[in-house]
Amino acid sequence: MAGILIIAEHLRGRLAPVTGELIGIAVALKEQLGGPVRVAVIDAAPEALADDLVFAGVDEVLLVNAPTPEFDTVASAHATTEIATAVKARLILIGHTVSGMGFGPAVAARLGGGFASDVITVEAMSGGLRAQRAGYANKVLSWMQFGNAPLVTLMLRAGGAKPPAAADGVVPRRTVTVDFAPVASLLSEHQGYIDPPPADVDITKAEIIMSIGRGIQDEKNVERFRALADRLGATLGCSRPVADAGWLPKAHQVGLSGKTASNCKLYLALGISGAVQHLHGMKHVETIIAVNTDRNAPIFNAATHGVCADVFEFADALETNFN
């Protein structure tokens, strides 16, 4: 087989962070799967994005001139299918994003083979590939094995991997011509962008995070912990129940259905039990301090240091010592 094909995601002339994450996953799998790692840029001006794809482990950047200046699901599905067939890809990686969900399943249906969306982790085994997904509202993690499928298309959730280092030299580029005439009548007309409200935090970039869970008991206590986080120079995070209750905006949530603490060096988990979906977003952090009144809480299995105590007493001690 002929390696891994990554479909670069971009918006308004910039590569989406998930592209680098997909490349990081592909490079990690490269030795076991064999073949080159190729990144396809489907855009009206693909050359403008190619300079941002100089990652170690990428063997070739494929430039595809799209028929529309903005992202189009039909054009992306058609181009991806044509490219994957031409290079005889063994694995296709697409972001599980709003854009990726618009064309990824269509690609898998046309090409056949294995398919999984909303993938968290990918591993290569002697018997083929396997992908990890979440179920039951992110409370259960399960593995899907694809055996000897000649082609597997996977859509990966953003925030679960890191891009590789920059390449020392220039990554080879090649223009690939795709005939869009068969789908010309199906292309959409872009009307404009409607931006979501800006988030007040970016959990993925924070180096120190203090997350709160149901142990804080009431919404009225959120401001106390927000002030404490500010005093410690930490970003305020939370578990899913806190976000679902509306105590904090979704942007603060750490976990499978929230954000991953990608760059965090110190994580304080206050009143968080440690459900699977939350642990996935922070268990990799080098130093984790967990505070919970339940000495059997799962969070202690991931913690570097554990404190079996009331979170309010713990907060009292921090406030006293950081005056």
Side-chain angles (χ1 to χ4, degrees):
M1 295 301 171
I4 305 170
L5 174 65
I6 299 159
I7 306 303
E9 182 167 323
H10 50 86
L11 182 67
R12 303 188 191 186
R14 293 185 178 181
L15 284 175
V18 70
T19 300
E21 297 175 21
L22 295 177
I23 293 173
I25 291 170
V27 171
L29 295 171
K30 180 178 178 180
E31 182 176 348
Q32 292 167 289
L33 290 184
V37 171
R38 297 184 174 96
V39 183
V41 183
I42 306 167
D43 187 65
E47 299 85 358
L49 296 166
D51 290 338
D52 295 327
L53 290 169
V54 185
F55 290 102
V58 174
D59 296 292
E60 189 177 33
V61 174
L62 307 178
L63 306 176
V64 182
N65 289 285
T68 58
E70 304 294 345
F71 168 78
D72 183 273
T73 57
V74 172
S76 295
H78 179 70
T80 301
T81 302
E82 294 291 305
I83 298 166
T85 301
V87 302
K88 298 180 181 178
R90 165 71 173 86
L91 172 64
I92 302 172
L93 297 180
I94 300 169
H96 185 78
T97 61
V98 172
S99 296
M101 287 186 283
F103 74 96
V107 170
R110 294 175 189 179
L111 294 175
F115 172 69
S117 61
D118 199 16
V119 172
I120 302 164
T121 306
V122 186
E123 294 182 359
M125 308 168 58
S126 57
L129 287 165
R130 70 172 188 166
Q132 188 181 57
R133 301 182 76 251
Y136 296 98
N138 292 298
K139 295 180 180 179
V140 176
L141 299 180
S142 60
W143 287 98
M144 295 179 63
Q145 292 192 217
F146 299 97
N148 295 317
L151 171 64
V152 177
T153 302
L154 299 178
M155 298 173 58
L156 280 95
R157 186 182 295 193
K162 292 185 178 181
D168 294 331
V170 177
V171 176
R173 304 177 186 179
R174 174 164 60 97
T175 298
V176 177
T177 301
V178 173
D179 181 12
F180 288 96
V183 297
S185 63
L186 303 175
L187 301 178
S188 59
E189 180 181 346
H190 180 76
Q191 297 294 316
Y193 292 102
I194 299 177
D195 293 318
D200 60 343
V201 297
D202 188 348
I203 291 295
T204 63
K205 295 181 180 179
E207 294 190 354
I208 303 175
I209 298 174
M210 189 181 79
S211 280
I212 53 178
R214 285 179 292 189
I216 70 163
Q217 300 177 5
D218 195 285
E219 182 179 7
K220 66 183 180 182
N221 296 318
V222 170
E223 289 308 312
R224 177 186 181 182
F225 287 95
R226 189 196 301 274
L228 180 57
D230 290 341
R231 189 179 300 181
L232 297 175
T235 297
L236 183 64
C238 69
S239 62
R240 180 175 177 175
V242 171
D244 286 350
W247 296 359
L248 279 173
K250 189 75 172 178
H252 290 257
Q253 183 187 333
V254 177
L256 275 173
S257 55
K259 301 291 184 180
T260 299
S262 306
N263 295 305
C264 186
K265 296 181 174 62
L266 172 61
Y267 191 90
L268 284 80
L270 306 184
I272 295 175
S273 63
V276 171
Q277 85 93 23
H278 185 79
L279 290 175
H280 182 82
M282 44 66 71
K283 64 182 180 180
H284 61 279
V285 178
E286 183 177 346
T287 303
I288 299 170
I289 300 174
V291 182
N292 200 294
T293 54
D294 179 7
R295 63 178 64 253
N296 295 314
I299 192 70
F300 289 130
N301 295 325
T304 312
H305 306 285
V307 181
C308 187
D310 181 85
V311 291
F312 297 105
E313 294 177 0
F314 186 80
D316 288 339
L318 287 179
E319 289 166 348
T320 300
N321 287 281
F322 281 89
N323 277 331

